[in-house]
Amino acid sequence: MADDPISGQADSPEARRYNRIRRWLGIADFVVGFVFLVVLLATGWSEWLRDLSFRLGLQNYSLSLFMYLVLLLGIGKALSIGLEYYGFRLERRFKLSNQRFGSWIWDETKAFLVGLVMGSVVVELLYFTIRQWPQHWWMLAWVLFMGLFILLAQLAPVVLFPIFYKFEPLENEDLRRRLVVLSEHAGTRVRGVYRWKLSEKSKKANAALTGLGNTRRIILADTLLDNYSPEEIEAVLAHELGHQVHRHILKSILVQAAITFVGFWAANWALHYAIDHHMFDFDQMSDFANLPLLALVSVVLSFLLMPALNAYSRFNERQADRYAFESIASIGPLISSMNKLAEQNLAERMPSKWVEWFFHSHPSISRRLAAAEEWGRTQNMHPHI
Ligand SMILES: [Zn+2]
């Protein structure tokens, strides 16, 4: 990749500063979470919280487990809220958002409650399998977890996203017609295109393919729909359709299934190791004071796999881009839409190589532009930037 053609103008100091701060915020958030889990285990505070939970939960196992999760997530939130507030201020400082404080707090509250509901379902199932099948709990837990994961992927566009944003079916006839032509060309069906009211929270633009089966849909931010030409929006649609044609959501679920299988196996191993070596005060698999250890396994695994998962995502993005090149009449609007998106989102066009390798789920704009321009040249077209 060293001598890839790089295209486009250099990054402004502002874009570099904004992205650097965001990266450090992400790293700080990760470190706070990691240290929190280690401290809980190393100091025995996890056992203390478990005892408190049993008192709060009236000695009922499931209720006490729920109370333990409430305490864990509550303390975790208290530790990270400062960083999150800084992130909220950052978006305003760089004029990327005009969200008000009250609206932000409301979003935070909703996110906490959603996390608590989903977390409860997962941990209750987890310890249910541990108590019922102490030997092979992790395989059953994996099957149940993947079932939940697939259900969530399907329900997300209709249940989860509407908690935070408003969506309405796209009513622009010209765009609908363009999409029908594109999807006929692709030999695939698009179940719906929705206008995503992102402008209430952000000035950035975005688009995505979401859902599974009958909830599969393309969502387009109003910040994009209102400021881009029909040809530019068509180029974005073509990219999202590329994700669908290449079945990226299904493939990502399969990748997720493989990773979670290893994750549950590792969690089981870590739990046995800790108990056999008397590392902590908990000496039973079913003692939920060991939950921070399970969380730690998942955090460490996600961290180690992040570069590989991002590389896989970048591969998918290049595939979707290539699909877009092939299906639109002219490469010019695609190039101008990429430039506009980079500017509007204050994206780093040319991040350093290691930053792109570790953090970026999308190839840098400079690489995507270079690929588009190269395609334009081979097609004997003349891109207008
Ligand atoms: Zn994409």
Side-chain angles (χ1 to χ4, degrees), residues 207-209 239-240 243 248 313 316-318 320-321 361-362 368:
L209 174 70
H239 171 96
E240 299 307 331
H243 283 303
H248 286 160
S313 169
N316 285 348
E317 294 302 331
R318 282 196 297 274
D321 271 350
S361 61
H362 288 59
R368 294 177 76 182

Side-chain angles (χ1 to χ4, degrees), residues 174-234:
D174 173 51
L175 279 178
R176 282 173 157 282
R177 192 183 44 76
R178 285 171 191 267
L179 182 70
V180 168
V181 173
L182 277 174
S183 44
E184 274 171 1
H185 169 83
T188 177
R189 210 156 63 100
V190 171
R191 316 244 178 179
V193 181
Y194 287 77
R195 182 183 176 87
W196 165 21
K197 292 197 172 174
L198 183 60
S199 61
E200 291 173 356
K201 311 257 168 94
S202 177
K203 293 178 183 176
K204 292 178 175 176
N206 214 335
L209 174 70
T210 65
L212 265 185
N214 57 3
T215 64
R216 193 174 60 191
R217 61 192 58 192
I218 291 173
I219 57 176
L220 292 167
D222 54 354
T223 43
L224 189 135
L225 286 167
D226 296 343
N227 300 303
Y228 291 59
S229 74
E231 288 75 20
E232 287 168 340
I233 298 169
E234 182 181 21

Side-chain angles (χ1 to χ4, degrees), residues 83-96:
L83 287 171
E84 280 164 34
Y85 177 71
Y86 188 87
F88 161 70
R89 296 296 307 172
L90 186 73
E91 296 293 298
R92 291 190 52 129
R93 194 168 106 211
F94 283 87
K95 300 185 171 52
L96 293 165

